[in-house]
Coordinates of all heavy atoms in Angstrom, one line a residue:
T47 N -24.9 12.6 -1.0 CA -26.2 12.4 -1.3 C -26.4 12.8 -2.8 O -26.4 14.0 -3.1 CB -27.3 13.2 -0.4 OG1 -26.9 13.0 1.1 CG2 -28.5 13.0 -0.8
V48 N -26.6 11.8 -3.5 CA -26.8 11.9 -4.9 C -28.0 11.2 -5.4 O -28.6 10.4 -4.9 CB -25.6 11.3 -5.8 CG1 -24.3 12.1 -5.5 CG2 -25.3 9.9 -5.4
T49 N -28.7 11.9 -6.4 CA -29.8 11.3 -7.1 C -29.6 10.8 -8.5 O -28.5 11.0 -9.0 CB -30.9 12.3 -7.1 OG1 -30.6 13.5 -8.0 CG2 -31.3 12.9 -5.7
R50 N -30.6 10.3 -9.1 CA -30.4 9.7 -10.6 C -30.0 10.9 -11.4 O -29.3 10.7 -12.5 CB -31.6 9.1 -11.0 CG -31.9 7.8 -10.3 CD -30.9 6.7 -10.8 NE -31.2 5.4 -10.4 CZ -30.9 4.9 -9.0 NH1 -30.2 5.6 -8.3 NH2 -31.3 3.7 -8.9
S51 N -30.4 12.1 -11.2 CA -30.0 13.3 -12.0 C -28.6 13.4 -12.1 O -27.9 13.9 -13.1 CB -30.8 14.6 -11.5 OG -30.2 14.9 -10.2
T52 N -27.9 13.2 -11.0 CA -26.4 13.2 -11.0 C -25.9 12.3 -12.0 O -24.8 12.4 -12.8 CB -25.8 12.9 -9.6 OG1 -26.3 13.8 -8.7 CG2 -24.2 13.0 -9.6
L53 N -26.4 11.0 -12.0 CA -25.9 10.0 -13.0 C -26.1 10.4 -14.4 O -25.3 10.2 -15.3 CB -26.7 8.7 -12.7 CG -26.3 7.4 -13.7 CD1 -24.8 7.2 -13.6 CD2 -27.1 6.3 -13.2
W54 N -27.3 11.0 -14.7 CA -27.6 11.5 -16.0 C -26.7 12.5 -16.4 O -26.1 12.6 -17.5 CB -29.1 12.1 -16.1 CG -30.2 11.2 -15.5 CD1 -31.4 11.8 -15.0 CD2 -30.3 9.8 -15.4 NE1 -32.3 10.8 -14.6 CE2 -31.6 9.6 -15.0 CE3 -29.6 8.8 -15.8 CZ2 -32.1 8.3 -14.7 CZ3 -30.0 7.4 -15.6 CH2 -31.3 7.3 -15.1
Q55 N -26.3 13.3 -15.5 CA -25.4 14.5 -15.7 C -23.9 13.9 -16.0 O -23.3 14.4 -17.0 CB -25.3 15.4 -14.6 CG -24.3 16.7 -15.0 CD -24.2 17.6 -13.7 OE1 -23.7 17.2 -12.7 NE2 -24.6 18.9 -13.9
L56 N -23.6 13.0 -15.3 CA -22.2 12.3 -15.5 C -22.2 11.6 -16.9 O -21.3 11.8 -17.7 CB -21.9 11.3 -14.4 CG -21.7 11.8 -13.1 CD1 -21.5 10.6 -12.0 CD2 -20.5 12.8 -13.0
E57 N -23.3 10.8 -17.3 CA -23.4 10.3 -18.7 C -23.4 11.3 -19.8 O -22.8 11.2 -20.8 CB -24.5 9.4 -18.7 CG -24.6 8.7 -19.9 CD -23.4 7.5 -20.2 OE1 -22.8 7.3 -19.3 OE2 -23.4 7.1 -21.2
A58 N -24.1 12.4 -19.5 CA -24.2 13.5 -20.5 C -22.8 14.1 -20.7 O -22.6 14.5 -21.9 CB -25.3 14.5 -20.1
L59 N -22.1 14.2 -19.8 CA -20.7 14.8 -19.8 C -20.0 13.9 -20.8 O -19.0 14.5 -21.6 CB -20.2 15.0 -18.5 CG -20.5 16.1 -17.6 CD1 -20.0 16.0 -16.2 CD2 -20.0 17.5 -18.2
L60 N -20.0 12.6 -20.5 CA -19.3 11.7 -21.5 C -19.7 11.8 -22.9 O -18.9 11.7 -23.9 CB -19.4 10.3 -20.9 CG -18.8 10.1 -19.6 CD1 -19.0 8.6 -19.1 CD2 -17.3 10.6 -19.4
L61 N -21.0 12.0 -23.2 CA -21.6 12.0 -24.4 C -21.5 13.4 -25.0 O -21.7 13.6 -26.2 CB -23.0 11.7 -24.4 CG -23.2 10.1 -24.0 CD1 -24.7 9.8 -23.9 CD2 -22.6 9.1 -24.9
G62 N -21.2 14.4 -24.3 CA -21.1 15.9 -24.8 C -22.3 16.5 -25.0 O -22.5 17.3 -26.0
I63 N -23.4 16.0 -24.4 CA -24.7 16.5 -24.5 C -25.2 17.2 -23.2 O -24.7 17.0 -22.1 CB -25.7 15.5 -25.0 CG1 -25.9 14.4 -23.9 CG2 -25.3 15.0 -26.4 CD1 -26.8 13.3 -24.4
K64 N -26.4 17.8 -23.3 CA -27.1 18.4 -22.0 C -27.8 17.0 -21.3 O -28.4 16.3 -22.1 CB -28.0 19.4 -22.3 CG -27.3 20.6 -23.0 CD -28.4 21.7 -23.3 CE -27.7 22.9 -23.9 NZ -28.6 24.0 -24.1
P65 N -27.9 17.1 -20.0 CA -28.6 16.0 -19.3 C -30.1 15.8 -19.8 O -30.5 14.7 -19.9 CB -28.5 16.5 -17.9 CG -27.4 17.3 -17.8 CD -27.3 18.0 -19.1
Q66 N -30.7 16.9 -20.2 CA -32.1 16.8 -20.6 C -32.3 16.2 -22.0 O -33.3 15.8 -22.4 CB -32.7 18.2 -20.5 CG -32.1 19.2 -21.5 CD -31.2 20.2 -20.6 OE1 -30.5 19.6 -19.8 NE2 -31.1 21.4 -21.0
D67 N -31.2 16.2 -22.7 CA -31.2 15.5 -24.0 C -30.8 13.9 -24.0 O -30.7 13.3 -25.1 CB -30.1 16.1 -25.0 CG -30.6 17.7 -25.3 OD1 -31.8 17.9 -25.3 OD2 -29.7 18.4 -25.5
L68 N -30.5 13.5 -22.8 CA -30.2 12.0 -22.5 C -31.4 11.4 -22.9 O -32.4 11.5 -22.2 CB -29.6 11.8 -21.2 CG -28.9 10.5 -20.9 CD1 -27.6 10.4 -21.7 CD2 -28.7 10.2 -19.5
P69 N -31.4 10.4 -23.9 CA -32.6 9.6 -24.3 C -32.9 8.6 -23.2 O -32.1 8.1 -22.4 CB -32.2 8.9 -25.5 CG -30.7 8.8 -25.5 CD -30.3 10.1 -24.8
Q70 N -34.2 8.2 -23.1 CA -34.9 7.4 -22.1 C -34.2 5.9 -22.1 O -33.9 5.2 -21.2 CB -36.3 7.2 -22.3 CG -37.0 6.4 -21.1 CD -36.6 6.9 -19.7 OE1 -36.8 8.1 -19.4 NE2 -36.2 6.0 -18.9
T71 N -33.9 5.6 -23.4 CA -33.2 4.2 -23.6 C -31.8 4.2 -22.9 O -31.4 3.2 -22.3 CB -33.0 4.0 -25.0 OG1 -32.3 5.0 -25.7 CG2 -34.4 3.7 -25.7
Q72 N -31.1 5.3 -22.9 CA -29.9 5.4 -22.3 C -30.0 5.3 -20.7 O -29.2 4.8 -20.1 CB -29.0 6.8 -22.8 CG -27.7 6.7 -22.2 CD -26.8 5.6 -22.8 OE1 -27.1 5.0 -23.8 NE2 -25.5 5.5 -22.2
K73 N -31.0 6.1 -20.2 CA -31.4 6.1 -18.9 C -31.7 4.7 -18.4 O -31.2 4.3 -17.2 CB -32.4 7.0 -18.5 CG -32.1 8.5 -18.7 CD -33.3 9.4 -18.3 CE -32.9 10.9 -18.6 NZ -34.1 11.8 -18.2
T74 N -32.5 4.0 -19.1 CA -32.8 2.6 -18.8 C -31.6 1.6 -18.8 O -31.5 0.9 -17.8 CB -33.8 2.1 -19.8 OG1 -35.1 2.9 -19.8 CG2 -34.2 0.7 -19.4
A75 N -30.7 1.9 -19.6 CA -29.4 1.2 -19.7 C -28.7 1.4 -18.4 O -28.1 0.4 -17.9 CB -28.6 1.4 -21.0
L76 N -28.6 2.6 -18.1 CA -27.7 3.0 -16.8 C -28.5 2.5 -15.7 O -27.7 2.0 -14.7 CB -27.6 4.6 -16.8 CG -26.8 5.2 -17.9 CD1 -27.0 6.8 -17.7 CD2 -25.3 5.0 -17.7
E77 N -29.7 2.4 -15.5 CA -30.4 1.9 -14.4 C -30.0 0.3 -14.3 O -29.7 -0.2 -13.2 CB -31.9 2.0 -14.6 CG -32.3 3.4 -14.3 CD -32.6 3.8 -12.9 OE1 -32.2 3.1 -12.0 OE2 -33.0 4.9 -12.6
Q78 N -30.0 -0.4 -15.4 CA -29.8 -1.8 -15.4 C -28.2 -2.1 -15.1 O -27.9 -2.9 -14.3 CB -30.0 -2.4 -16.8 CG -29.9 -3.9 -16.8 CD -31.0 -4.5 -16.0 OE1 -32.0 -4.0 -15.8 NE2 -30.4 -5.6 -15.3
A79 N -27.3 -1.1 -15.6 CA -25.9 -1.2 -15.1 C -25.7 -0.9 -13.7 O -24.9 -1.6 -13.0 CB -25.1 -0.2 -16.1

Side-chain angles (χ1 to χ4, degrees):
T47 300
V48 289
T49 63
R50 289 294 188 269
S51 62
T52 302
L53 178 58
W54 310 152
Q55 183 181 62
L56 294 174
E57 183 68 11
L59 283 168
L60 296 181
L61 297 175
I63 61 176
K64 295 179 180 179
Q66 58 266 34
D67 294 333
L68 194 68
Q70 184 58 47
T71 54
Q72 187 68 10
K73 291 180 180 179
T74 301
L76 289 169
E77 289 278 6
Q78 190 62 38

